Amino acid sequence: MSSDIRRGTAEMTAAMLISGTIGWFVVMSGQPVSGVVFWRCLFGALTLLVICGALGLLRPGIITLRAFGIAVFGGVAIVLNWLLLFASYSHATISIATTVYNTQPFMLLVLGALVLGEKITATKLFWLTLSFAGMIAIVEAKPEAGGAASDGYGLGILMALGAAFFYALAALAAKWLKGTPPHLIALIQVATGMLMLAPMTDFSNPPQDAGRWAILVTVGVVHTGLMYVLLYGAIQRLPTHLTGALSFIYPIAAIVVDRLAFGHALQPMQIAGAAIILLAAAGMNLGWTPRWLRPRALES
């Protein structure tokens, strides 16, 4: 294994583990979802501003006006994604929300076909159908009576699906920004979010203790600034199939954190649905082709 692969694997693993813990930080912050996202954007922007400055990415002419506009569009989408995902935690638990959120590759598949004219092959359609079956299993599952997810369970799932859709929009915008420094894109995105959410943030009722401030700073600096640096560093060093495989650390870590921190155990039908969705997403990301579809795939 080359040093680049080892370093990229360590960076991707760290990025996914960090992502898997964000649900705990959001819940423990005690802030409204819009407030959590605003402070995430603010502290994340400050962190990324320092990083971009150190990398020489703030000089004039490094980004075109068109690319800037696309990055802003991606910023709006990514912030709406955060708002919906964080809001879904209180309805469907962190475990279920994160698993449903991992339908994002299929959202991107459909958007790519509609917007970019990309072909949906029989293999991709199979994984899409399997993912939908997993979604049905989760929707039909009955959360624990009186548990944190018993009220608004369906709403939480819809929010997580909405978050996946907006993430796919942000990923689509990123496809149009090839060649633009990714750390600069991230800075534009969080700065956009900061401006979006400032009017609806209640500055008269900030966190009242150092612990909650520490949580918000961590979400901005670690879960946004540092995570972006690790993620982009890994993407640059790893082959696509390894990046896709390591990305599944995120939902698994989120499920473990949810179980240990809040005692939320998945019900049998939820476990089955989650496993089906993660299997479908793995097949999609890693390019697996079921044996009975291989001749058809070769003909196309």
Side-chain angles (χ1 to χ4, degrees), residues 12-264:
M12 189 69 183
T13 300
M16 294 301 96
L17 287 173
I18 289 170
S19 296
T21 64
I22 194 169
W24 182 88
F25 283 84
V26 169
V27 172
M28 297 306 293
S29 72
Q31 292 292 296
V33 168
S34 59
V36 174
V37 178
F38 171 80
W39 294 112
R40 177 183 193 179
C41 289
L42 174 62
F43 294 123
L46 293 174
T47 305
L48 288 164
L49 188 65
V50 172
I51 293 170
C52 288
L55 295 175
L57 301 179
L58 300 180
R59 62 184 185 275
I62 200 166
I63 186 170
T64 66
L65 186 60
R66 176 180 177 275
F68 179 80
I70 294 173
V72 169
F73 168 79
V76 172
I78 206 71
V79 169
L80 291 174
N81 148 65
W82 288 339
L83 289 170
L84 287 169
L85 180 62
F86 295 170
S88 70
Y89 293 157
S90 61
H91 297 286
T93 77
I94 294 170
S95 300
I96 291 299
T98 304
T99 301
V100 171
Y101 180 62
N102 272 269
T103 58
Q104 48 189 264
F106 304 102
M107 302 281 188
L108 186 57
L109 172 67
V110 174
L111 285 173
L114 293 175
V115 178
L116 302 178
E118 295 177 348
K119 183 181 179 182
I120 298 181
T121 64
T123 299
K124 291 178 179 178
L125 186 60
F126 168 76
W127 294 123
L128 178 60
T129 304
L130 191 64
S131 174
F132 182 74
M135 183 64 53
I136 294 299
I138 286 179
V139 170
E140 291 297 320
K142 302 297 182 185
E144 293 179 347
S150 60
D151 296 327
Y153 181 68
L155 177 60
I157 291 175
L158 287 175
M159 286 178 169
L161 283 172
F165 171 75
F166 282 113
Y167 181 89
L169 281 182
L172 193 64
K175 281 178 173 280
W176 292 326
L177 290 171
K178 285 185 178 179
T180 305
H183 301 95
L184 185 58
I185 296 172
L187 174 59
I188 294 170
Q189 288 177 339
V190 292
T192 299
M194 191 171 58
L195 294 175
M196 278 176 61
L197 297 174
M200 63 185 74
T201 301
D202 184 7
F203 296 106
S204 65
N205 188 29
Q208 298 300 311
D209 58 81
R212 292 186 189 274
W213 275 116
I215 287 174
L216 293 174
V217 171
T218 301
V219 168
V221 174
V222 177
H223 291 89
T224 306
L226 177 60
M227 196 277 290
Y228 267 114
V229 172
L230 291 170
L231 180 63
Y232 290 142
I235 289 172
Q236 289 171 353
R237 293 182 175 88
L238 295 177
T240 302
H241 73 275
L242 192 49
T243 302
L246 291 171
S247 69
F248 288 95
I249 294 173
Y250 167 39
I252 293 170
I255 290 170
V256 171
V257 168
D258 197 25
R259 181 71 177 96
L260 294 177
F262 303 109
H264 292 155

Side-chain angles (χ1 to χ4, degrees), residues 265-279:
L266 296 179
Q267 303 303 301
M269 186 69 80
Q270 292 173 324
I271 292 173
I276 291 170
I277 288 174
L278 294 180
L279 173 64

